[in-house]
Amino acid sequence: IYSLYLTTIGKWYWKLTLSSMYGSGGSPRPHTVDIKPSRLTACTVWPVPIMADNYAYILVDHRSGQCGIVDPGASTPVALACFQLGLVPHYILLTHCHQDHCGGVEELKRQFPSVEVYCSVHEEVSGVKTRKLVDKSVVKLGSTRIVALETPCHTPGSLVLTISKASSSRHSIDDELKCAEAILTGDTLFLGGVGAPFHGSDSLMWRSLRRFSIFPDSCLVFPGHEYTESLRWFGCWLQPGNEVALAAAHEAQALRTQLRPTVPGSMGMERKINPWLRAGEPLLDRSVSMRVRQYRTVPFCMRQWTCTNYAPTEWYDISTPPPPLDGEYGDGVITALASSPSAWKRVDGGGRSKGREMKETKEIGLRMNLPPTGRQQPQSANKAAGAASSSAGAAGTPLWPLVHPASARSNYSGMAETDRKEGNGVDEGSKKEEDKIADTFKKI
């Protein structure tokens, strides 16, 4: 399915989807209302809800009034927002070239012929001439400086766009990043999770996520999707002793019940609750191993259904940490939470009788204080569940086929070489630590 999504067929299907939603003068209700701008020192960021759960962003420079658009997956809501704000876009910047992030570029280019389109040097936008960005390229939107960081894994050329403070000292790009005011992460980092690693391994994902360590805790995070509620409940279920994660999940649920946005988040909060950013912590590793051991006794059909169709009910009923089955935490690298029959069969071991499975499943339900039935979640929650489970990567055959293009591998090598030159500790010891963290990623 994913391979087709990258072809002309995928582009045609996305245009058909946009036509059904926005065509014939239709104005569907957006997935998020009560949108408020975020005023930074150099510019103002306006989120624009698109389709079922996407966000595009409009950047307006304070001094010049110039306007930039980030990830316009659909042209109609973005053009309407620009019209209502009295803006004419000068630039379009893309974090990556999936159709739900660049599907509106061609039409916007037709409506605003002078607009310039920027994307990664490793990716292309079909039918549109683009200007290429490499790691640490700078785009100037009036007086606003936007620095692009390469974070390959979701796609070969995934970028994180950072917005610098207006008064920040610019002795070097790194100094500028250390006091960044906001980042637009596309599908690399969500609030509470990360994007599916379609084009890379767990190690590559971790190396990309390490680049976020340079940003201050006060840095605002603007992700490409409204996945926050589902991902934060997943984080609570994965680390039941994390009270900060529980409070954040309840906050997100309260906002989404009213269709209000959860963006922007902050890097400080993500470092406390995002399981993928905390993958190096022993406490999280033990908690993940415990959850994996519990899921080993749940029948495959139940897991497959909840992972691919609904957010599991456990995510929404967090009380006290449930005791592990054998009184101990698991200690092996067990591949679980990967929505694939082959992975689940390996985890199951294939040696249990049907009666034993039903009995153990009932015991787990009682210990976890689960409700008898789950509530159906919107499509955004289902996609978030898929994104979270897909990060198991090498756990087995994933829900979508992983692609490993040469550009992604060369990107990885280039990042490693940059780390060596900058003295970021790429040695034998850090390689072992990276492999250990990659094992935790596989469990998650």
Side-chain angles (χ1 to χ4, degrees), residues 308-325:
T308 57
N309 293 274
Y310 306 101
T313 55
E314 302 96 296
W315 301 7
Y316 298 90
D317 191 71
I318 307 297
S319 52
T320 57
L325 294 180

Side-chain angles (χ1 to χ4, degrees), residues 120-123 150-158 197-201 203-205 207-208 402-416:
S120 169
V121 69
H122 302 287
E123 300 189 19
E150 289 183 344
T151 54
C153 198
H154 184 70
T155 66
S158 288
F198 291 130
H199 294 261
S201 63
S203 296
L204 178 58
M205 179 188 287
R207 291 185 66 82
S208 294
L402 290 179
V403 184
H404 302 275
S407 56
R409 289 194 292 271
S410 62
N411 230 7
Y412 180 86
S413 303
M415 290 173 60

Side-chain angles (χ1 to χ4, degrees), residues 175-416:
D175 291 338
E176 197 170 337
L177 295 176
K178 288 177 182 178
C179 57
E181 201 168 11
I183 54 177
L184 298 103
T185 60
D187 285 359
T188 298
L189 179 71
F190 300 131
L191 301 186
V194 296
F198 291 130
H199 294 261
S201 63
D202 299 299
S203 296
L204 178 58
M205 179 188 287
W206 175 243
R207 291 185 66 82
S208 294
L209 292 179
R210 275 176 52 188
R211 308 205 74 183
F212 288 88
S213 63
I214 196 172
F215 301 123
D217 287 347
S218 59
C219 181
L220 299 180
V221 180
F222 294 90
H225 289 269
E226 184 57 82
Y227 290 163
T228 311
E229 180 186 4
S230 183
L231 286 174
R232 283 186 175 173
W233 279 117
F234 173 74
C236 288
W237 176 81
L238 203 60
Q239 42 188 348
N242 191 333
E243 296 182 359
V244 179
L246 180 61
H250 279 294
E251 178 187 14
Q253 186 178 30
L255 290 171
R256 293 310 299 160
T257 300
Q258 305 173 54
L259 295 183
R260 294 172 60 192
T262 61
V263 299
S266 70
M267 279 305 304
M269 179 60 72
E270 291 307 299
R271 291 184 176 115
K272 294 177 182 178
I273 66 176
N274 193 316
W276 283 267
L277 294 181
R278 300 180 59 232
E281 300 181 15
L283 183 62
L284 177 66
D285 184 65
R286 290 196 299 270
S287 178
V288 170
S289 296
M290 177 188 70
R291 289 303 195 188
V292 168
R293 286 168 64 87
Q294 291 174 331
Y295 255 65
R296 290 170 68 187
T297 60
V298 179
F300 157 71
C301 59
M302 182 184 301
R303 286 183 304 228
Q304 183 75 358
W305 179 256
T306 58
C307 285
T308 57
N309 293 274
Y310 306 101
T313 55
E314 302 96 296
W315 301 7
Y316 298 90
D317 191 71
I318 307 297
S319 52
T320 57
L325 294 180
D326 300 325
E328 298 177 354
Y329 287 106
D331 56 357
V333 180
I334 306 172
T335 55
L337 297 179
S339 303
S340 70
S342 57
W344 285 124
K345 287 177 182 177
R346 280 199 292 275
V347 172
D348 285 341
R352 300 180 184 274
S353 66
K354 183 176 181 181
R356 171 78 182 268
E357 284 187 336
M358 293 180 65
K359 180 180 179 182
E360 290 179 336
T361 303
K362 183 177 180 181
E363 289 177 357
I364 293 176
L366 292 175
R367 292 181 181 181
M368 297 183 70
N369 191 27
L370 301 183
T373 58
R375 60 184 177 118
Q376 183 173 352
Q377 295 302 310
Q379 187 177 3
S380 60
N382 305 336
K383 291 177 65 178
S389 62
S390 296
S391 63
T397 306
L399 203 58
W400 301 279
L402 290 179
V403 184
H404 302 275
S407 56
R409 289 194 292 271
S410 62
N411 230 7
Y412 180 86
S413 303
M415 290 173 60

